[in-house]
Amino acid sequence: MKIIITGAYAIGTHLARLLSRNNEDITLIDEDEERLAKIGSDYDLLTMQASPDSVKALREAGAASTDLFIAVTPNQSLNINCCILAKKLGAKKTVAKIDEAEYIEPEIQEFFNELGVSSLIYPEVLAAKDINNGLKMSWVRQRWDVHDSSLVMLGIKLRESCEVLNEPLKNLCGPQDPYHVVAIKRGGETIIPGGNDELKLYDLAYFMTTRQYIPYIRKIVGKEHYVDVKNVMVMGGGNTAVRAVKTMPEYMSVKIIEQDEQRCEELNMLLQDDRALVIHGDGRDIPLLIEEGIKNTQAFVALTDNAETNILACLTAKRLGVRKTVAMVENIDYVSMAESLDIGTIINKKAIAASHIYQMMLDADVMNVRFLMTANADVAEFIPKEGSKVTRKPVKDLGLPAGMTIGGLVRNSEGMLVSGNTQIQAGDSVMVFCHNLNMKKIEKLFI
């Protein structure tokens, strides 16, 4: 597949590195030679120093024969313009990063589609959804819902109160049991488990279950004593915070702490119809946090532009008794450090945006793709075609590659877990988990 990416910034470089592992034909365009140099020579891709909206440059890069054109510069107008030009030159699919909430409305997306922009990506909205999923269940690090929660994936840190430690999974996750463990992060190691693997203390375990059994999962992992989140304190009043607050459940009460006085005034205007109280101050100021009721707060969300600040603030909040913390960590290098410090839910906008763009390059019918940063694993929702390899035999006889497991499927709007005897059918929505595998290789099972 031929892919052109414009913008060698955070999302563009992360996406280029992610896609280069699939041996795709990738060209990265940017005006700045220094930014292009930072991508390094370790990745199999071509860089081009040029203006992203230069018709001459787009032609030279091969836009006419491009399968996927991705515009992810910081300039929304430039991204949209590049996509329109690339589509006119012959690109099959185009995707633009935007920063206007208005543009994500379905009728406006259709308008842009007619102009030549196949898809619009708004990272702040995607991040806000992940933040709120984490807040709705204080005992869960990460939650992923499929088909209106017909299937649910829960990432849970296992503590001493967990009832299912040190027992082979074949004794816990049989055909009649209401959950599967689909991935385990243990220290720096990611495990796609088999029947003989066991859950250990301090593992980050990913459970696949159905909605009605979420309380059962909560019980067996020993999290029933975790209180539900009602009071939330947010540090940093950027666009991600605004989108998160606007979409938080109505029963949550929110305080936003923002250092910039002018931004506080803007927030009061933007959130005047919401439940948020805006406070001018430093979210690392312990006396301020205590004065504003940190000890009666169930969740602390750090969303400044500085990863170190967010990590330290979450550690401070934990020390003051907050059970649930969420940190925005945009520097990929800091993600593993944040995980080792037991920060809680970690949000990385570029990884979230890259996951959504990544699914566009797959030929199979793929509804969702997520890269689980903390587990260094991919999870995708595939819909197998009639006669595809995955529909010909029961799961146990498919010879699935090492590092891959099928966690569950949705058939006729009903979620069900997958066992070795399950016969997958065309049209099912199938949840696939994999580690260190080329997604294109897995895709061949479904087409």
Side-chain angles (χ1 to χ4, degrees), residues 161-174:
S161 54
C162 179
E163 299 175 7
V164 290
L165 298 177
N166 309 313
E167 181 78 19
L169 291 177
K170 62 187 177 186
N171 298 340
L172 300 172
C173 307

Side-chain angles (χ1 to χ4, degrees), residues 12 19 24 67 85 134 151 205 257 261 266 282-283 295 328 382 389 423 441:
L19 296 178
E24 306 292 350
D67 298 291
L85 294 174
L151 280 175
I257 302 176
E261 190 171 0
E266 293 171 1
D282 188 339
K295 293 187 181 294
M328 188 159 71
F382 284 96
K389 184 177 179 181
Q423 180 74 52
K441 180 179 179 181

Side-chain angles (χ1 to χ4, degrees), residues 273-313:
D273 297 327
D274 297 279
R275 306 161 310 288
L277 173 65
V278 180
I279 299 161
H280 178 224
D282 188 339
R284 296 165 296 182
D285 183 345
I286 293 178
L288 174 65
L289 294 177
I290 293 172
E291 182 183 337
E292 294 300 335
I294 189 77
K295 293 187 181 294
N296 296 316
T297 297
Q298 293 84 42
F300 184 89
V301 184
L303 301 176
T304 76
D305 292 331
N306 189 293
E308 297 99 317
T309 297
N310 294 339
I311 292 169
L312 289 172

Side-chain angles (χ1 to χ4, degrees), residues 3 15 17 20 26 103 151 210 255 288 304 358 363 430:
I3 301 167
L15 191 59
R17 289 166 178 158
S20 67
I26 302 168
Y103 290 172
L151 280 175
T210 51
K255 292 182 179 180
L288 174 65
T304 76
Y358 186 51
D363 297 323
V430 183

Side-chain angles (χ1 to χ4, degrees), residues 142-146 151-156 158 164 168-170 172-174 177-186 189-195 197-199 203-210 217 220-221 370 372 374-381 395 400-409 416-419 430-437 442:
Q142 192 168 9
R143 173 173 173 163
W144 193 59
D145 292 77
V146 181
L151 280 175
V152 181
M153 184 201 71
L154 305 173
I156 303 170
L158 305 183
V164 290
L169 291 177
K170 62 187 177 186
L172 300 172
C173 307
D177 290 298
Y179 68 92
H180 284 167
V181 177
V182 293
I184 301 168
K185 178 66 181 299
R186 181 173 297 152
E189 181 186 11
T190 296
I191 302 166
I192 301 295
D197 287 299
E198 300 176 358
L199 295 173
D203 281 352
L204 178 58
Y206 290 86
F207 292 79
M208 177 65 77
T209 189
T210 51
I217 300 297
I220 64 171
V221 297
R370 294 296 303 272
L372 306 176
T374 49
N376 190 28
D378 293 304
V379 53
E381 177 188 353
V395 170
L400 299 178
M404 170 188 171
T405 189
I406 297 175
L409 61 83
M416 59 185 75
L417 300 177
V418 170
S419 69
V430 183
M431 287 342 99
V432 173
F433 294 77
C434 61
H435 171 60
N436 283 341
L437 279 177
I442 295 172

